[in-house]
């Protein structure tokens, strides 16, 4: 998938991470990270790309297959794993890391490939 407005897309997924972390204790991020995400979301018009792209994130799109009912079913959940924090959001899987140093390979039902998973994590990208 390719988008011209990457700022809005990234903000949308940051919002999902922040919202989940404040609404449920299962997804744990530090207070500093939570506050940084909140400030980025609230001040999105004035935020610099370097601030916006600070947090490593990988979003995987899963294609829904099946009958018509499957296309309107909403699955939302998360794991208690840290680094990455994992959110299942309908057809998306969000992997969120609090810092570049926290990035590690995470084997989750072949979602990541140990040989190239770092290439698919968006952090400080151009």
């Amino acid at each position: 998938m390719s988008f011209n407005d990457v700022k809005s897309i990234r903000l949308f997924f940051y919002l999902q991470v922040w919202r989940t972390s404040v609404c449920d204790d299962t997804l744990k991020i530090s207070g500093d990270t939570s506050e940084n995400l909140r400030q980025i979301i609230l001040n999105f018009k004035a935020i610099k790309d370097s601030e916006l792209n600070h947090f490593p994130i990988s979003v995987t799109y899963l294609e829904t297959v099946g009958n018509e009912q499957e296309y309107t079913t909403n699955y939302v959940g998360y794991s208690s794993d840290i680094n990455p924090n994992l959110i299942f959001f309908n057809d998306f899987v969000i992997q969120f890391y609090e810092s570049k140093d926290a990035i590690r390979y995470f084997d989750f039902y072949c979602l990541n490939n140990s040989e190239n998973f770092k290439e698919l994590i968006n952090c400080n990208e151009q």
Side-chain angles (χ1 to χ4, degrees), residues 4-22:
N4 292 329
D5 185 6
V6 295
K7 186 174 187 177
S8 294
I9 299 296
R10 192 175 194 103
L11 283 167
F12 173 77
F13 287 110
Y14 276 180
L15 177 62
Q16 304 317 311
V17 172
W18 178 79
R19 184 178 71 169
T20 302
S21 73
V22 298

Side-chain angles (χ1 to χ4, degrees), residues 8-46:
S8 294
I9 299 296
R10 192 175 194 103
L11 283 167
F12 173 77
F13 287 110
Y14 276 180
L15 177 62
Q16 304 317 311
V17 172
W18 178 79
R19 184 178 71 169
T20 302
S21 73
V22 298
C23 290
D24 194 293
D25 291 336
T26 304
L27 190 98
K28 295 178 180 15
I29 60 175
S30 73
D32 287 343
T33 297
S34 179
E35 180 60 18
N36 286 338
L37 285 172
R38 189 178 78 81
Q39 289 299 323
I40 288 170
I41 294 162
L42 286 175
N43 301 301
F44 69 94
K45 289 184 179 180

Side-chain angles (χ1 to χ4, degrees), residues 49-62:
D49 285 348
S50 60
E51 295 170 292
L52 178 69
N53 298 336
H54 170 74
F55 292 107
I57 190 168
S58 177
V59 178
T60 304
Y61 175 71
L62 305 174

Side-chain angles (χ1 to χ4, degrees), residues 109-124:
Y109 299 100
C110 300
L111 185 66
N112 297 318
N113 181 325
S114 62
E115 296 171 9
N116 71 346
F117 79 98
K118 285 187 178 180
E119 296 171 21
L120 302 174
I121 297 173
N122 295 297
C123 180
N124 297 322

